Amino acid sequence: MKNAAIAQVFQDMADLLELKEENPFKIRAYQRAAHTIDSLPVELEQVMKEGKLREITGIGEAIANKITDLLTTGHLESYEKLRSEFPENILSLMAIRGVGPKTATRLYKELDVSSVDDLEKAIVEGQVAALYRLGEKTAENILRHIQGLRRKDQRVTLGEALPVVEEIIADLGKIRGVRNLTPAGSVRRFKETIGDIDIMGTADDPESVIQAFVHLPQVEEVLGKGATKASVVVGNGVQVDLRMVEHDSFGSLLQYFTGSKDHNIALRDRASRQGLSLSEYGITVTKTGEIERFATEEGFYERLGLQYIPPELREGRNEIEEAEKGTLPKLIEASDIKGDFHVHTDWSDGHDSIEAMANAARSRDYQFLAITDHSVGRGIAHGLSVERLRQQIAEIKALDRKLSNFRLFTGIEVDIRADGTLDYPDEVLSELDIVVAAIHSAMGQDSDTMTKRIIRALDNPYVHVLSHPTCRLLGIREPIDVDIEEVFRAAVRTNTALEINAMPDRLDLKDIHVLRARELGVRLLIGTDAHSAGNLDLMRFGVGVARRGWCQAEHILNTSAFGEVESLLKQGKGQAWMTTSR
DNA sequence: ATGGCTATCCATGTTTACCAGCTGGTAAA
């Protein structure tokens, strides 16, 4: 049994115990165990063999015994007993936003609702609204969330797909005679969600690579296998296709399978007017029927009279016209990044200390890091009271003095409350180098209320940045209802920067927002929202969004040297913050 | 249920918002 499956058992048990109104601390212990197991870097099976289960924080006698049962027998009696006390699908009710344990219990006790379908029917028939202490609005709210769950498509996030791809490429890359192993498709274009994963490569002996591919340990099912192509399903249910070709036609193959569909249609259309036809095998001169092969994509685009188009721009927007004129932007690269503006520490809900975060930043050759823990309103995240914030400021400044050629900025991720006021008074905010404002509550407001709320925050003279502006969580939560264009205009007017949040579940702003914001002259920066030192590596996802939004290095504040950032911050939201060349 | 501590013990995330009924339960973050 894998860690993820065991973690799920404990999460389910926690939910069921909540339904039973068990001791809340017991529930929390199960939740904490589930979370710890889920993010454990080694398999529990291994830990158990070494007899070290109890050494994991949060795993004591009882949970260690349960883990041992699960690993040795595949079953857990107490879990099965607990499940038998409730209807089969009760947990699926609690998975709906707006339905907690109390409501779920009442729904099945009073209305005999035991599935999402039942619940939807009961709402439509007005039975839910008729319950005491529920009503029209609550019922409507639940219905909206059910529909949201249904809409959620089966795609996985780039954050889930990319590590899978990299692992496979690392494994297959060890085989003798293999070259050019590259992801294609939406992974290569760095799209926020991925359907299937496509991997391309060339090899002296393609068949041996295909053979190795279908026998990789992460493969759960082989869907098909031929001499040059195979399809498999890996652990998280994602389909991975591998295609191997001869070295000399790799360029056209990669181009063809990178897409996007819209890009390739436009490219073909243009080629046919030049008397050429395009395929995965090469470029054919229509008149003679002669096919030209391309080992590289660069050669392929050059033959068409185009500047090389980076994969992130191949969305059929305007890239072919610009490539024809030779005016494509020189996109920002990961190596341009000199610092991070949004990280958490163990002062709020982060995992690592201020010093560990600073060291992690320095080891990535960054020049600066802003510490932005949660404000007091994020109670669950252990948000900082004014008093603790001031202690933290002192500690950050003391550490900063010890670090040469590096700047640690004091900061906060301050909550924007429902009415647009902030979680701290202005005089507290004025003590910080950087103030990042964000919405974490009352996300259901209507567009007008929400837009005014955000603009009120942007108007605050101490707010430098609006973080994750649309609050979406991919596949989990829809974005808030907001007039984003109005927010962009207010950001320009008030000299407030907007964040590209690099967390793979957020990627917020998203690519097309970045494109539009940049057109309007909004200042942008990338924040990883790191909750651990290792999370600083999420920066590349933010860079990917910036690239998809056609950003050059000078469009993103993270590419500025620390001295430059410091003087910008010192001048507050005055002209310099927005109107320097950067 | 865990972990600190050696106790038939004790502490363990908190604030805000929403909604139904006009204060307080419930859920979310």
Side-chain angles (χ1 to χ4, degrees), chain A residues 514-553:
Chain A
V514 171
L515 206 57
R516 179 63 184 147
R518 196 177 45 66
E519 276 172 11
L520 292 172
V522 177
R523 181 185 293 282
L524 296 164
L525 57 77
I526 305 173
T528 60
D529 208 348
H531 283 70
S532 70
N535 277 172
L536 289 186
D537 291 332
L538 299 177
M539 183 58 78
R540 62 173 171 160
F541 294 99
V543 171
V545 174
R547 287 171 64 88
R548 288 178 60 83
W550 293 55
C551 288
Q552 313 200 128

Side-chain angles (χ1 to χ4, degrees), chain A residues 9-238:
Chain A
V9 169
F10 287 115
Q11 184 58 57
D12 285 354
M13 286 186 83
D15 289 344
L16 292 167
L17 291 171
E18 206 173 357
L19 279 169
K20 268 185 95 164
E21 296 185 64
E22 258 278 8
N23 172 7
F25 298 110
K26 183 171 171 179
I27 295 166
R28 276 232 320 274
Y30 277 104
Q31 283 169 341
R32 207 167 42 222
H35 186 254
T36 303
I37 292 167
D38 210 30
S39 51
L40 206 62
V42 289
E43 285 296 327
L44 281 174
E45 181 122 45
Q46 187 60 36
V47 184
M48 180 185 70
K49 277 182 194 152
E50 292 166 9
K52 291 181 175 171
L53 283 176
R54 295 284 304 271
E55 288 176 27
I56 302 169
T57 308
I59 294 181
E61 191 185 353
I63 290 184
N65 286 339
K66 288 185 170 68
I67 292 171
T68 306
D69 281 1
L70 281 168
L71 284 172
T72 48
T73 69
H75 299 282
L76 183 59
E77 205 178 320
S78 50
Y79 175 51
E80 279 151 27
K81 182 168 172 295
L82 200 51
R83 281 201 349 187
S84 69
E85 294 174 35
F86 298 94
E88 187 70 26
N89 290 320
I90 190 81
L91 294 182
S92 66
L93 295 183
M94 282 169 66
I96 302 165
R97 207 162 291 270
V99 181
K102 296 282 196 284
T103 311
T105 306
R106 292 188 54 203
L107 287 171
Y108 93 82
K109 279 194 178 155
E110 295 175 35
L111 297 179
D112 201 27
V113 160
S114 62
S115 71
V116 178
D117 288 340
D118 285 356
L119 178 54
E120 189 171 19
K121 193 157 154 270
I123 293 171
V124 173
E125 289 171 2
Q127 295 177 49
V128 173
L131 290 181
Y132 178 72
R133 275 206 170 275
L134 293 172
E136 276 299 333
K137 257 190 139 158
T138 307
E140 235 172 74
N141 193 29
I142 295 172
L143 191 60
R144 220 180 46 243
H145 288 303
I146 292 176
Q147 285 157 352
L149 275 180
R150 294 254 160 80
R151 259 200 319 278
K152 179 190 157 186
D153 54 355
Q154 292 310 300
R155 298 172 72 91
V156 297
T157 62
L158 181 63
E160 292 170 85
L162 202 56
V164 173
V165 172
E166 286 169 343
E167 206 175 271
I168 292 173
I169 287 178
D171 286 345
L172 297 182
K174 291 175 198 148
I175 299 170
R176 180 185 281 273
V178 172
R179 277 192 268 161
N180 296 321
L181 275 179
T182 315
S186 44
V187 173
R188 183 153 180 257
R189 301 200 315 278
F190 246 71
K191 213 166 166 230
E192 61 195 32
T193 59
I194 309 296
D196 295 344
I197 295 173
D198 290 303
I199 299 176
M200 311 286 137
T202 68
D204 301 337
D205 177 13
E207 211 157 347
S208 71
V209 184
I210 298 289
Q211 200 60 26
F213 175 60
V214 298
H215 286 103
L216 286 174
Q218 51 275 56
V219 170
E220 304 237 307
E221 192 188 348
V222 179
L223 298 173
K225 169 166 110 58
T228 61
K229 175 181 179 310
S231 294
V232 302
V233 175
V234 294
N236 50 7
V238 186

Side-chain angles (χ1 to χ4, degrees), chain A residues 233-271:
Chain A
V233 175
V234 294
N236 50 7
V238 186
Q239 182 177 333
V240 184
D241 295 346
L242 176 68
R243 259 168 246 271
M244 302 299 296
V245 290
E246 289 172 27
H247 298 303
D248 66 351
S249 49
F250 181 68
S252 45
L253 177 88
L254 182 60
Q255 195 288 321
Y256 180 83
F257 282 104
T258 297
S260 67
K261 196 173 142 206
D262 290 340
H263 174 80
N264 283 353
I265 289 172
L267 207 60
R268 271 150 198 263
D269 190 43
R270 183 174 174 279

Side-chain angles (χ1 to χ4, degrees), chain A residues 459-562:
Chain A
D459 271 319
N460 181 294
Y462 299 103
V463 170
H464 296 100
V465 185
L466 175 67
S467 175
H468 46 73
T470 75
C471 298
R472 71 164 178 180
L473 287 174
L474 284 167
I476 298 169
R477 185 172 66 212
E478 294 291 308
I480 54 175
D481 197 1
V482 62
D483 186 339
I484 197 77
E485 183 87 9
E486 279 301 306
V487 172
F488 291 163
R489 293 184 190 284
V492 173
R493 175 176 59 77
T494 61
N495 296 336
T496 314
L498 298 190
E499 179 189 66
I500 298 170
N501 190 291
M503 279 183 57
D505 285 353
R506 292 192 184 271
L507 299 183
D508 177 14
L509 300 171
K510 64 178 178 180
D511 51 6
I512 54 171
H513 287 153
V514 171
L515 206 57
R516 179 63 184 147
R518 196 177 45 66
E519 276 172 11
L520 292 172
V522 177
R523 181 185 293 282
L524 296 164
L525 57 77
I526 305 173
T528 60
D529 208 348
H531 283 70
S532 70
N535 277 172
L536 289 186
D537 291 332
L538 299 177
M539 183 58 78
R540 62 173 171 160
F541 294 99
V543 171
V545 174
R547 287 171 64 88
R548 288 178 60 83
W550 293 55
C551 288
Q552 313 200 128
E554 69 254 36
H555 296 127
I556 302 292
L557 197 65
N558 305 58
T559 64
S560 307
F562 71 78

